[in-house]
């Protein structure tokens, strides 16, 4: 096809995104969340079955014993912990597995080549991990609703601590994904980091019944504050100061997020 006489074709111009590439950030979020949505049956069924099994085991194990925690029943105590555990586990595993999979298939270049800064890449991964974790937590909450009573005494606290906990484990998922070079590394991080962190956080017993050294160790666990904040918002029963918990979660997110950002900027185990 010939160009008509007298018609000028404008030269292509570079696209400017401003200080933040919002389109690229949203596209990365949608790309990662889309992976979760495509496998929604497995991604939803696994956490729901695991949560119901945990709930049934503790109900049966303690059915013949007295529950001496005033102000809250066993079911109401355990259900928020399982919800928060589902949020954190999904946030950690979805991002770390996605990055590791892209490393093995060579698809990580699809994230590294677009005009995204290191901070935008980290936030895109972490936000998508938080989104998928919140979806899982909501579904688990619905499945546990027939067995536990949700008073919803503080909805802003539920949202704050669920998002803060999910975002923290989303950042940790990015870190695990960058560090891992084999699936054994991913499994080791889940086994030796996530499980001890989540279980040693007052999930199934009040922290007050632990010895003093145990209480001090739990107080250093940021997951404890996320869990206790969600439990307080759902039931009105909490062990820690919510203001302290919010400060701890925000501080941990800033510190871990900054570390992951610097590593991403250096190309730690993501660039050849």
């Amino acid at each position: 096809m010939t160009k008509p006489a007298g018609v000028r074709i404008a030269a292509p111009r570079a696209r400017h995104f401003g200080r933040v590439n919002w389109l690229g950030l949203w596209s990365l979020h949608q790309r990662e969340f889309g992976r979760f949505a495509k496998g929604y049956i497995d991604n939803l069924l696994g956490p729901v079955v695991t949560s119901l099994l945990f709930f049934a085991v503790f109900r049966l194990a303690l059915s013949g014993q007295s529950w001496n925690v005033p102000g809250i029943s066993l079911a109401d105590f355990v259900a928020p912990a399982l919800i928060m555990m589902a949020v954190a586990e999904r946030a950690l595993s979805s991002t770390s597995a996605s990055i590791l999979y892209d490393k093995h298939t060579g698809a990580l270049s699809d994230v590294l080549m677009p005009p995204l800064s290191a901070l935008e890449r980290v936030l895109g991964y972490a936000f998508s991990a938080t989104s998928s974790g919140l979806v899982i937590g909501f579904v688990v909450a619905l499945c546990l609703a027939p067995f536990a009573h949700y008073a919803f005494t503080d909805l802003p606290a539920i949202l704050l601590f669920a998002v803060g906990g999910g975002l923290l484990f989303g950042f940790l998922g990015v870190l695990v994904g960058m560090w891992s070079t084999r699936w054994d590394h991913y499994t080791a991080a889940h086994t030796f980091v996530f499980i001890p962190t989540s279980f040693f956080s007052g999930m199934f017993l009040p922290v007050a019944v632990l010895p003093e050294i145990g209480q001090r160790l739990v107080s250093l666990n940021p997951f404890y504050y996320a869990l206790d904040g969600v439990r307080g918002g759902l039931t009105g029963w909490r062990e820690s100061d919510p203001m302290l918990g919010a400060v701890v979660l925000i501080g941990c997110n800033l510190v871990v997020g900054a570390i992951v950002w610097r590593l991403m900027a250096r190309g730690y185990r993501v660039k050849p």
Side-chain angles (χ1 to χ4, degrees):
M1 179 178 181
T2 60
K3 181 178 69 172
V7 177
R8 295 183 178 181
I9 299 177
R13 294 181 299 175
R15 186 171 185 176
H16 299 283
F17 298 98
R19 296 180 65 87
V20 180
N21 184 354
W22 295 108
L23 177 61
L25 182 60
W26 176 249
S27 299
L28 179 57
H29 174 279
Q30 291 298 91
R31 173 185 185 266
E32 294 302 310
F33 188 79
R35 287 182 164 181
F36 161 77
K38 287 180 181 178
Y40 68 93
I41 296 179
D42 295 334
N43 291 331
L44 291 177
L45 186 61
V48 167
V49 171
T50 300
S51 299
L52 290 174
L53 287 175
F54 269 120
F55 190 84
V57 167
F58 275 85
R59 285 291 300 270
L60 293 174
L62 298 177
S63 60
Q65 304 179 23
S66 59
W67 175 253
N68 297 319
V69 180
I72 188 171
S73 67
L74 172 62
D76 294 349
F77 184 88
V78 173
L82 295 175
I83 295 170
M84 193 60 227
M85 181 181 176
V87 173
E89 194 278 333
R90 174 50 49 183
L92 176 72
S93 62
S94 63
T95 303
S96 55
S98 176
I99 295 176
L100 182 56
Y101 177 82
D102 285 348
K103 281 184 180 181
H104 287 180
T105 60
L108 194 58
S109 59
D110 294 340
V111 179
L112 299 177
M113 291 179 62
L116 288 168
S117 67
L119 181 59
E120 289 164 352
R121 292 187 184 97
V122 170
L123 292 179
Y125 277 121
F127 288 161
S128 66
T130 306
S131 300
S132 59
L134 292 177
V135 171
I136 293 294
F138 179 74
V139 174
V140 170
L142 288 180
C143 294
L144 293 177
F147 313 103
H149 173 67
Y150 303 141
F152 296 104
T153 59
D154 193 346
L155 290 176
I158 298 172
L159 184 61
L160 171 65
F161 288 101
V163 172
L167 188 60
L168 176 60
F169 279 87
F171 284 134
L172 291 173
V174 179
L175 181 60
V176 171
M178 290 193 298
W179 169 75
S180 301
T181 57
R182 304 195 307 266
W183 288 104
D184 291 346
H185 295 159
Y186 163 80
T187 304
H190 187 277
T191 303
F192 298 110
V193 176
F194 174 74
I195 292 180
T197 300
S198 58
F199 277 37
F200 196 63
S201 60
M203 281 192 65
F204 304 115
L205 285 174
V207 177
V209 305
L210 298 175
E212 184 177 356
I213 182 63
Q215 295 181 31
R216 292 181 178 180
L217 290 175
V218 171
S219 67
L220 300 176
N221 184 356
F223 184 76
Y224 160 67
Y225 297 100
L227 186 157
D228 195 60
V230 171
R231 181 182 283 147
L234 283 174
T235 66
W237 189 94
R238 55 169 55 92
E239 292 186 284
S240 64
D241 181 2
M243 290 299 297
L244 173 62
V247 170
V248 170
L249 268 184
I250 293 173
C252 288
N253 272 293
L254 291 175
V255 171
V256 177
I259 293 173
V260 177
W261 166 49
R262 291 305 303 164
L263 291 175
M264 181 68 76
R266 289 170 48 191
Y268 174 72
R269 292 195 174 184
V270 294
K271 294 182 179 179

